[in-house]
Amino acid sequence: MDPILVGKAVTTPDALPETGGRVHLLPRYGNRHGLVAGATGTGKTVTLMTLAEGFSRIGVPVFLADVKGDVAGLAVAGDGGEKLLQRAAMIGADGYTPEASPVLFWDIYGKSGHPVRTTVSEIGPTLLGRMLELNDTQSGVLDITFKLADDRGLLLLDLADLRALLALVAEERKAISTSYGLVSAPSIGAIQRALLRLEQEGGNQFFGEPALELADLMRTTPDGRGVIGILAADQLVLKPRLYATFLLWLLSELFENLPEVGDLDKPKLVFVFDEAHLLFKDAPPALRQRVEQVVRIIRSKGVGIYFCSQFPDDVPDEILGQLGNRVQHALRAFTPRDQKAVRTAAETFVANSALDVAKVIAQLGTGEALVSTLQGKGAPMPVEQTLIAPPRCRMGAITEAERARVRAASPVGGKYDTTVDRESAFEMLAAKAAATLEAAQAPKARTTTEDDAAGGGFGQSVKDALFGTKRRQGMVETMAKQTARTVGNQIGRQILRGIFGGITGKR
């Protein structure tokens, strides 16, 4: 398995004689996660493109967000300019020629790529509560709402389903509070207002069917190259909670559904979190703990996670310690916050006696970085000041015509571009309400039982036993409630929710 060329060491190239001074990322350690950090304009995006190309060339699918619009250049061959060719030759990039990578474009809003959808049930109450910015009490009511849906076998596919179920919770609030826990009218109202805000921000387009299937993120081409999934996020990142929750949901889907595979020759998928600070900003401790648990375990499922952010301390320490492959671009120490970040970055590298890391970080030029990757036996190499290898694709945005050509050749366009609306909670509850209203408005037919009841006697006794009185429950009502409880329990046992509250297993 060919290693992925990251760049060439410029400080102590003699320390890597077996590679001619070149710095590589070994595929068998690609699932040990990584970090790409640095100030704005120092070359982080180009480094991500170089790594994505490298993984794709060895058959590893990649998924990453395009926050600024220039990552889409992976879909188009570069211009092969003289400066790029000279840099590639200086670094020792053998066989460097401009070429495009196999790409699939995705977009929650369905404008710049295939629509990405999931259902309300699959995202679960934990992540949805964070997306809606609910407090603890409101999140508890949302938990009860999801549990009620599970017990009654109601599918929550889109926001209309959730609104219908919240209306049911409000209507049966007293009975639900007795069985599940206190549900207050103000909490229900707060959730409904949060749903309204989410719809106004376009979040309703994220919920529905057909839902995204993980297999379409892990595609390879017939010639064995990994397909790079690019999420158009230039508009999505303006809604930080929606952006972060979407990526966390996708991570949870991978965690819950992929099997354990142990150590492989190369990862099954590389997942890139750009603007990683948005994932952890204002995140409650319980959620951060779950993310840390997922990052720790998911590498055994063949998934490598790479965080990209300005400062290394944007990632919590418990997660930062699990990132084995590090690329640190320049940091400008203008403020006390910046100076602290420089010290943090310097302390997280394996020391190199020929480098004053804290000093060099502030002096790095664009396209240079301090790099440390895992080498033999999984041990990190001493940090090296490195010239980053140029990608073979275009380093910049693409035109709408170029994007349209890529989308037209996509193998999944017919699968996701058309929305499917099947029967779910909204339709079921609406049908039930219509039936109840029709029954209430229908004229009562006079039956033999009623005739007997009018005269009292044996007929009235039978009616009381079957249908009950004001003081006592009848046999029919008792059996109906027992049946409902039994069915609810059976349905509840079949619904399993994972670490982030989403449904695990098959849909």
Side-chain angles (χ1 to χ4, degrees), residues 333-345:
F334 297 132
T335 67
R337 166 74 170 83
D338 297 341
Q339 293 168 5
K340 179 184 176 183
V342 168
R343 290 194 299 270
T344 300

Side-chain angles (χ1 to χ4, degrees), residues 269-341:
L269 175 71
V270 166
F271 193 95
V272 180
F273 280 98
D274 200 359
E275 300 295 335
H277 66 282
L278 297 177
L279 302 177
F280 306 104
K281 183 180 180 182
D282 301 326
L287 181 59
R288 288 175 55 163
Q289 183 180 4
R290 293 176 187 178
V291 174
E292 186 263 336
Q293 183 180 355
V294 169
V295 173
R296 185 183 300 276
I297 298 174
I298 202 170
R299 73 175 184 87
S300 65
K301 301 191 175 191
V303 177
I305 301 173
Y306 287 72
F307 295 93
C308 181
S309 193
Q310 289 198 21
F311 302 104
D313 57 1
D314 287 336
V315 180
D317 290 343
E318 59 271 18
I319 296 176
L320 191 63
Q322 300 179 49
L323 311 183
N325 301 296
R326 305 285 184 90
V327 179
Q328 176 65 61
H329 287 270
L331 288 174
R332 311 306 182 195
F334 297 132
T335 67
R337 166 74 170 83
D338 297 341
Q339 293 168 5
K340 179 184 176 183

Side-chain angles (χ1 to χ4, degrees), residues 50-62:
T50 297
L51 294 176
E53 278 187 349
F55 280 115
S56 175
R57 287 170 64 83
I58 63 172
V60 177
V62 180

Side-chain angles (χ1 to χ4, degrees), residues 53 56-57 72-78 97-103 221 223 225-226 228 391-394 398 406:
E53 278 187 349
S56 175
R57 287 170 64 83
L74 283 162
V76 180
T97 55
E99 65 179 15
S101 296
V103 163
T221 61
D223 61 354
R225 298 190 63 180
I228 301 174
R392 301 166 186 251
C393 63
R394 179 186 298 174
I398 64 176
V406 174

Side-chain angles (χ1 to χ4, degrees), residues 328-380:
Q328 176 65 61
H329 287 270
L331 288 174
R332 311 306 182 195
F334 297 132
T335 67
R337 166 74 170 83
D338 297 341
Q339 293 168 5
K340 179 184 176 183
V342 168
R343 290 194 299 270
T344 300
E347 292 168 357
T348 57
F349 282 113
V350 176
N352 184 335
S353 59
L355 276 178
D356 183 346
V357 175
K359 181 179 179 180
V360 170
I361 285 179
Q363 300 173 347
L364 291 171
T366 302
E368 292 184 329
L370 296 172
V371 179
S372 175
T373 60
L374 298 179
Q375 299 299 311
K377 298 182 180 180

Side-chain angles (χ1 to χ4, degrees), residues 145-186:
T145 302
F146 272 77
K147 181 67 171 84
L148 184 68
D150 292 347
D151 288 350
R152 297 194 181 184
L154 296 173
L155 283 175
L156 299 178
L157 301 183
D158 52 29
L159 295 186
D161 294 326
L162 184 56
R163 283 190 175 281
L165 190 60
L166 285 170
L168 177 66
V169 171
E171 181 181 347
E172 301 181 7
R173 184 167 55 85
K174 292 184 178 180
I176 292 173
S177 296
T178 302
S179 302
Y180 294 88
L182 182 63
V183 175
S184 66

Side-chain angles (χ1 to χ4, degrees), residues 187-199:
S187 294
I188 297 174
I191 297 173
Q192 290 172 328
R193 290 191 297 272
L195 286 176
L196 179 61
R197 289 195 299 270
L198 181 62
E199 288 177 335

Side-chain angles (χ1 to χ4, degrees), residues 398-415:
I398 64 176
T399 65
E400 289 301 319
E402 290 169 331
R403 185 183 292 271
R405 282 198 296 271
V406 174
R407 289 190 65 179
S410 168
V412 300
K415 182 176 180 179

